[in-house]
Amino acid sequence: QVQLVESGGGLVQAGGSLRLSCAASGLTFSTYTMGWFRQAPGNEREFVAVISWSGRTTYYTDSVKGRFTISRDNAKNMAYMQMNTLKPEDTAVYYCAASRRVFRDVADRRLQDSYDYWGQGTQVTVSS
C-alpha cells in the first residue's frame, strides 16, 4: 500500500532552519506530483509548495517564497522541503502529499482534493 512518512520537524527559534523529508513507498514515485501542506492550530490546512514529476517545476505560496525550497530525489523516492528564516507563523503540522493527476490547470496544484495520498504530518514549532 502507499505510504508517505514525513520527518525532520522540530522546535527552532525564529530565523532558524529545518529540512523536512517525505519518504514514499508503494507507488511509482516519479509519476507523482508532490506537495507540502501545513495546518496550524485553529486553522485549515493550507498549501505550501509543490514540485512536478521531474522536479523541473516548483511553485510556492506567497508567504514562503524566498525562504522555502521544495525538492525531490526520484531515485530515492524522497521529497524534501528546506525551510530557512523560519518565522513563528510557520508553526504548524506539515504534511506531504502525492498526486497522480495531470494538472491541466496549474492552479489545481494548490487544492487538497488534487492529492491522492497524504502523510501523517510532522510538527514544526518556531519560537520567537
Side-chain angles (χ1 to χ4, degrees), residues 37-48 63 88-95 112:
F37 291 74
R38 67 187 180 187
Q39 187 168 22
N43 290 3
E44 295 184 346
R45 188 157 54 188
E46 65 171 345
F47 167 81
V48 178
S63 63
E89 52 262 45
D90 295 318
T91 295
V93 177
Y94 283 73
Y95 300 88
Q112 295 180 49

PDB file of all heavy atoms in Angstrom, residues 37-48 63 88-95 112:
ATOM      1  N   PHE A  37       1.816  20.682   2.465  1.00  0.00           N
ATOM      2  CA  PHE A  37       0.762  21.477   3.065  1.00  0.00           C
ATOM      3  C   PHE A  37       1.063  21.637   4.548  1.00  0.00           C
ATOM      4  O   PHE A  37       1.893  20.919   5.099  1.00  0.00           O
ATOM      5  CB  PHE A  37      -0.602  20.809   2.880  1.00  0.00           C
ATOM      6  CG  PHE A  37      -1.094  20.786   1.462  1.00  0.00           C
ATOM      7  CD1 PHE A  37      -0.552  19.925   0.525  1.00  0.00           C
ATOM      8  CD2 PHE A  37      -2.119  21.635   1.061  1.00  0.00           C
ATOM      9  CE1 PHE A  37      -0.997  19.896  -0.777  1.00  0.00           C
ATOM     10  CE2 PHE A  37      -2.591  21.618  -0.241  1.00  0.00           C
ATOM     11  CZ  PHE A  37      -2.029  20.755  -1.159  1.00  0.00           C
ATOM     12  N   ARG A  38       0.369  22.568   5.182  1.00  0.00           N
ATOM     13  CA  ARG A  38       0.547  22.728   6.623  1.00  0.00           C
ATOM     14  C   ARG A  38      -0.768  23.127   7.265  1.00  0.00           C
ATOM     15  O   ARG A  38      -1.651  23.694   6.630  1.00  0.00           O
ATOM     16  CB  ARG A  38       1.634  23.758   6.943  1.00  0.00           C
ATOM     17  CG  ARG A  38       1.299  25.190   6.546  1.00  0.00           C
ATOM     18  CD  ARG A  38       2.502  26.089   6.761  1.00  0.00           C
ATOM     19  NE  ARG A  38       2.225  27.466   6.400  1.00  0.00           N
ATOM     20  CZ  ARG A  38       3.131  28.434   6.372  1.00  0.00           C
ATOM     21  NH1 ARG A  38       4.402  28.163   6.692  1.00  0.00           N
ATOM     22  NH2 ARG A  38       2.784  29.664   6.028  1.00  0.00           N
ATOM     23  N   GLN A  39      -0.864  22.832   8.556  1.00  0.00           N
ATOM     24  CA  GLN A  39      -2.056  23.168   9.314  1.00  0.00           C
ATOM     25  C   GLN A  39      -1.642  23.646  10.697  1.00  0.00           C
ATOM     26  O   GLN A  39      -1.063  22.889  11.471  1.00  0.00           O
ATOM     27  CB  GLN A  39      -3.000  21.978   9.427  1.00  0.00           C
ATOM     28  CG  GLN A  39      -4.334  22.320  10.068  1.00  0.00           C
ATOM     29  CD  GLN A  39      -5.349  21.213   9.907  1.00  0.00           C
ATOM     30  OE1 GLN A  39      -4.995  20.057   9.700  1.00  0.00           O
ATOM     31  NE2 GLN A  39      -6.620  21.561   9.995  1.00  0.00           N
ATOM     32  N   ALA A  40      -1.946  24.899  10.977  1.00  0.00           N
ATOM     33  CA  ALA A  40      -1.676  25.488  12.275  1.00  0.00           C
ATOM     34  C   ALA A  40      -2.887  25.291  13.181  1.00  0.00           C
ATOM     35  O   ALA A  40      -4.011  25.116  12.693  1.00  0.00           O
ATOM     36  CB  ALA A  40      -1.358  26.968  12.129  1.00  0.00           C
ATOM     37  N   PRO A  41      -2.702  25.341  14.499  1.00  0.00           N
ATOM     38  CA  PRO A  41      -3.828  25.181  15.412  1.00  0.00           C
ATOM     39  C   PRO A  41      -4.942  26.180  15.123  1.00  0.00           C
ATOM     40  O   PRO A  41      -4.690  27.382  14.993  1.00  0.00           O
ATOM     41  CB  PRO A  41      -3.211  25.427  16.788  1.00  0.00           C
ATOM     42  CG  PRO A  41      -1.779  25.045  16.623  1.00  0.00           C
ATOM     43  CD  PRO A  41      -1.422  25.479  15.222  1.00  0.00           C
ATOM     44  N   GLY A  42      -6.149  25.678  14.997  1.00  0.00           N
ATOM     45  CA  GLY A  42      -7.293  26.526  14.738  1.00  0.00           C
ATOM     46  C   GLY A  42      -7.468  26.941  13.297  1.00  0.00           C
ATOM     47  O   GLY A  42      -8.446  27.625  12.970  1.00  0.00           O
ATOM     48  N   ASN A  43      -6.538  26.555  12.433  1.00  0.00           N
ATOM     49  CA  ASN A  43      -6.599  26.932  11.028  1.00  0.00           C
ATOM     50  C   ASN A  43      -6.906  25.725  10.152  1.00  0.00           C
ATOM     51  O   ASN A  43      -6.734  24.574  10.555  1.00  0.00           O
ATOM     52  CB  ASN A  43      -5.281  27.547  10.573  1.00  0.00           C
ATOM     53  CG  ASN A  43      -5.024  28.912  11.172  1.00  0.00           C
ATOM     54  OD1 ASN A  43      -5.802  29.402  11.984  1.00  0.00           O
ATOM     55  ND2 ASN A  43      -3.921  29.529  10.770  1.00  0.00           N
ATOM     56  N   GLU A  44      -7.331  26.013   8.939  1.00  0.00           N
ATOM     57  CA  GLU A  44      -7.497  24.962   7.954  1.00  0.00           C
ATOM     58  C   GLU A  44      -6.151  24.621   7.331  1.00  0.00           C
ATOM     59  O   GLU A  44      -5.217  25.421   7.349  1.00  0.00           O
ATOM     60  CB  GLU A  44      -8.484  25.398   6.874  1.00  0.00           C
ATOM     61  CG  GLU A  44      -9.893  25.620   7.381  1.00  0.00           C
ATOM     62  CD  GLU A  44     -10.862  25.964   6.275  1.00  0.00           C
ATOM     63  OE1 GLU A  44     -10.403  26.287   5.158  1.00  0.00           O
ATOM     64  OE2 GLU A  44     -12.076  25.896   6.514  1.00  0.00           O
ATOM     65  N   ARG A  45      -6.069  23.442   6.787  1.00  0.00           N
ATOM     66  CA  ARG A  45      -4.850  23.040   6.105  1.00  0.00           C
ATOM     67  C   ARG A  45      -4.660  23.892   4.854  1.00  0.00           C
ATOM     68  O   ARG A  45      -5.601  24.117   4.091  1.00  0.00           O
ATOM     69  CB  ARG A  45      -4.913  21.560   5.748  1.00  0.00           C
ATOM     70  CG  ARG A  45      -3.611  21.002   5.197  1.00  0.00           C
ATOM     71  CD  ARG A  45      -3.527  19.497   5.387  1.00  0.00           C
ATOM     72  NE  ARG A  45      -4.676  18.805   4.830  1.00  0.00           N
ATOM     73  CZ  ARG A  45      -4.919  17.512   4.992  1.00  0.00           C
ATOM     74  NH1 ARG A  45      -4.090  16.771   5.722  1.00  0.00           N
ATOM     75  NH2 ARG A  45      -5.980  16.962   4.452  1.00  0.00           N
ATOM     76  N   GLU A  46      -3.439  24.364   4.648  1.00  0.00           N
ATOM     77  CA  GLU A  46      -3.158  25.244   3.534  1.00  0.00           C
ATOM     78  C   GLU A  46      -1.993  24.732   2.702  1.00  0.00           C
ATOM     79  O   GLU A  46      -1.080  24.067   3.196  1.00  0.00           O
ATOM     80  CB  GLU A  46      -2.852  26.665   4.025  1.00  0.00           C
ATOM     81  CG  GLU A  46      -1.580  26.784   4.847  1.00  0.00           C
ATOM     82  CD  GLU A  46      -1.190  28.220   5.147  1.00  0.00           C
ATOM     83  OE1 GLU A  46      -1.724  29.143   4.500  1.00  0.00           O
ATOM     84  OE2 GLU A  46      -0.341  28.420   6.040  1.00  0.00           O
ATOM     85  N   PHE A  47      -2.031  25.089   1.453  1.00  0.00           N
ATOM     86  CA  PHE A  47      -0.971  24.749   0.525  1.00  0.00           C
ATOM     87  C   PHE A  47       0.302  25.515   0.850  1.00  0.00           C
ATOM     88  O   PHE A  47       0.254  26.693   1.202  1.00  0.00           O
ATOM     89  CB  PHE A  47      -1.418  25.080  -0.902  1.00  0.00           C
ATOM     90  CG  PHE A  47      -0.313  25.054  -1.909  1.00  0.00           C
ATOM     91  CD1 PHE A  47       0.126  23.856  -2.444  1.00  0.00           C
ATOM     92  CD2 PHE A  47       0.287  26.227  -2.325  1.00  0.00           C
ATOM     93  CE1 PHE A  47       1.145  23.828  -3.381  1.00  0.00           C
ATOM     94  CE2 PHE A  47       1.299  26.216  -3.255  1.00  0.00           C
ATOM     95  CZ  PHE A  47       1.731  25.004  -3.784  1.00  0.00           C
ATOM     96  N   VAL A  48       1.441  24.839   0.700  1.00  0.00           N
ATOM     97  CA  VAL A  48       2.734  25.476   0.917  1.00  0.00           C
ATOM     98  C   VAL A  48       3.589  25.450  -0.347  1.00  0.00           C
ATOM     99  O   VAL A  48       4.070  26.489  -0.803  1.00  0.00           O
ATOM    100  CB  VAL A  48       3.510  24.821   2.073  1.00  0.00           C
ATOM    101  CG1 VAL A  48       4.874  25.479   2.250  1.00  0.00           C
ATOM    102  CG2 VAL A  48       2.704  24.904   3.364  1.00  0.00           C
ATOM    103  N   SER A  63       3.662  33.387   1.119  1.00  0.00           N
ATOM    104  CA  SER A  63       4.254  33.631   2.429  1.00  0.00           C
ATOM    105  C   SER A  63       5.588  32.917   2.643  1.00  0.00           C
ATOM    106  O   SER A  63       6.322  33.267   3.569  1.00  0.00           O
ATOM    107  CB  SER A  63       3.276  33.235   3.534  1.00  0.00           C
ATOM    108  OG  SER A  63       2.983  31.854   3.494  1.00  0.00           O
ATOM    109  N   PRO A  88       7.605  32.551  13.499  1.00  0.00           N
ATOM    110  CA  PRO A  88       6.604  31.917  14.356  1.00  0.00           C
ATOM    111  C   PRO A  88       5.335  31.531  13.610  1.00  0.00           C
ATOM    112  O   PRO A  88       4.724  30.508  13.943  1.00  0.00           O
ATOM    113  CB  PRO A  88       6.329  32.981  15.419  1.00  0.00           C
ATOM    114  CG  PRO A  88       7.615  33.723  15.525  1.00  0.00           C
ATOM    115  CD  PRO A  88       8.144  33.784  14.111  1.00  0.00           C
ATOM    116  N   GLU A  89       4.945  32.300  12.623  1.00  0.00           N
ATOM    117  CA  GLU A  89       3.746  31.980  11.869  1.00  0.00           C
ATOM    118  C   GLU A  89       3.897  30.752  10.977  1.00  0.00           C
ATOM    119  O   GLU A  89       2.915  30.290  10.387  1.00  0.00           O
ATOM    120  CB  GLU A  89       3.275  33.181  11.038  1.00  0.00           C
ATOM    121  CG  GLU A  89       4.359  33.793  10.174  1.00  0.00           C
ATOM    122  CD  GLU A  89       4.992  35.016  10.814  1.00  0.00           C
ATOM    123  OE1 GLU A  89       5.311  34.963  12.019  1.00  0.00           O
ATOM    124  OE2 GLU A  89       5.169  36.028  10.111  1.00  0.00           O
ATOM    125  N   ASP A  90       5.113  30.220  10.865  1.00  0.00           N
ATOM    126  CA  ASP A  90       5.317  28.962  10.162  1.00  0.00           C
ATOM    127  C   ASP A  90       4.977  27.757  11.032  1.00  0.00           C
ATOM    128  O   ASP A  90       4.976  26.624  10.532  1.00  0.00           O
ATOM    129  CB  ASP A  90       6.759  28.837   9.684  1.00  0.00           C
ATOM    130  CG  ASP A  90       7.133  29.877   8.644  1.00  0.00           C
ATOM    131  OD1 ASP A  90       6.306  30.139   7.742  1.00  0.00           O
ATOM    132  OD2 ASP A  90       8.250  30.416   8.729  1.00  0.00           O
ATOM    133  N   THR A  91       4.730  27.981  12.304  1.00  0.00           N
ATOM    134  CA  THR A  91       4.401  26.888  13.211  1.00  0.00           C
ATOM    135  C   THR A  91       3.149  26.158  12.736  1.00  0.00           C
ATOM    136  O   THR A  91       2.097  26.768  12.535  1.00  0.00           O
ATOM    137  CB  THR A  91       4.191  27.416  14.629  1.00  0.00           C
ATOM    138  OG1 THR A  91       5.418  27.948  15.126  1.00  0.00           O
ATOM    139  CG2 THR A  91       3.729  26.310  15.570  1.00  0.00           C
ATOM    140  N   ALA A  92       3.273  24.865  12.543  1.00  0.00           N
ATOM    141  CA  ALA A  92       2.171  24.064  12.023  1.00  0.00           C
ATOM    142  C   ALA A  92       2.609  22.612  11.960  1.00  0.00           C
ATOM    143  O   ALA A  92       3.792  22.292  12.104  1.00  0.00           O
ATOM    144  CB  ALA A  92       1.764  24.536  10.625  1.00  0.00           C
ATOM    145  N   VAL A  93       1.646  21.751  11.727  1.00  0.00           N
ATOM    146  CA  VAL A  93       1.948  20.394  11.311  1.00  0.00           C
ATOM    147  C   VAL A  93       2.082  20.405   9.793  1.00  0.00           C
ATOM    148  O   VAL A  93       1.194  20.895   9.090  1.00  0.00           O
ATOM    149  CB  VAL A  93       0.857  19.404  11.744  1.00  0.00           C
ATOM    150  CG1 VAL A  93       1.166  18.004  11.218  1.00  0.00           C
ATOM    151  CG2 VAL A  93       0.739  19.382  13.263  1.00  0.00           C
ATOM    152  N   TYR A  94       3.180  19.884   9.306  1.00  0.00           N
ATOM    153  CA  TYR A  94       3.462  19.876   7.878  1.00  0.00           C
ATOM    154  C   TYR A  94       3.217  18.488   7.310  1.00  0.00           C
ATOM    155  O   TYR A  94       3.695  17.486   7.852  1.00  0.00           O
ATOM    156  CB  TYR A  94       4.900  20.307   7.605  1.00  0.00           C
ATOM    157  CG  TYR A  94       5.091  21.793   7.732  1.00  0.00           C
ATOM    158  CD1 TYR A  94       5.089  22.401   8.982  1.00  0.00           C
ATOM    159  CD2 TYR A  94       5.247  22.597   6.603  1.00  0.00           C
ATOM    160  CE1 TYR A  94       5.239  23.776   9.107  1.00  0.00           C
ATOM    161  CE2 TYR A  94       5.402  23.965   6.720  1.00  0.00           C
ATOM    162  CZ  TYR A  94       5.397  24.552   7.977  1.00  0.00           C
ATOM    163  OH  TYR A  94       5.551  25.920   8.090  1.00  0.00           O
ATOM    164  N   TYR A  95       2.494  18.442   6.204  1.00  0.00           N
ATOM    165  CA  TYR A  95       2.119  17.198   5.555  1.00  0.00           C
ATOM    166  C   TYR A  95       2.667  17.141   4.138  1.00  0.00           C
ATOM    167  O   TYR A  95       2.595  18.129   3.412  1.00  0.00           O
ATOM    168  CB  TYR A  95       0.594  17.074   5.459  1.00  0.00           C
ATOM    169  CG  TYR A  95      -0.130  17.095   6.769  1.00  0.00           C
ATOM    170  CD1 TYR A  95      -0.534  18.295   7.346  1.00  0.00           C
ATOM    171  CD2 TYR A  95      -0.430  15.908   7.428  1.00  0.00           C
ATOM    172  CE1 TYR A  95      -1.214  18.319   8.555  1.00  0.00           C
ATOM    173  CE2 TYR A  95      -1.110  15.919   8.634  1.00  0.00           C
ATOM    174  CZ  TYR A  95      -1.502  17.124   9.189  1.00  0.00           C
ATOM    175  OH  TYR A  95      -2.179  17.141  10.381  1.00  0.00           O
ATOM    176  N   GLN A 112      -6.216  20.726  -1.975  1.00  0.00           N
ATOM    177  CA  GLN A 112      -6.067  19.473  -1.255  1.00  0.00           C
ATOM    178  C   GLN A 112      -6.698  18.306  -2.002  1.00  0.00           C
ATOM    179  O   GLN A 112      -6.158  17.201  -2.002  1.00  0.00           O
ATOM    180  CB  GLN A 112      -6.692  19.579   0.137  1.00  0.00           C
ATOM    181  CG  GLN A 112      -6.014  20.573   1.046  1.00  0.00           C
ATOM    182  CD  GLN A 112      -6.676  20.638   2.401  1.00  0.00           C
ATOM    183  OE1 GLN A 112      -6.927  19.597   3.023  1.00  0.00           O
ATOM    184  NE2 GLN A 112      -6.957  21.839   2.871  1.00  0.00           N
TER     185      GLN A 112
END
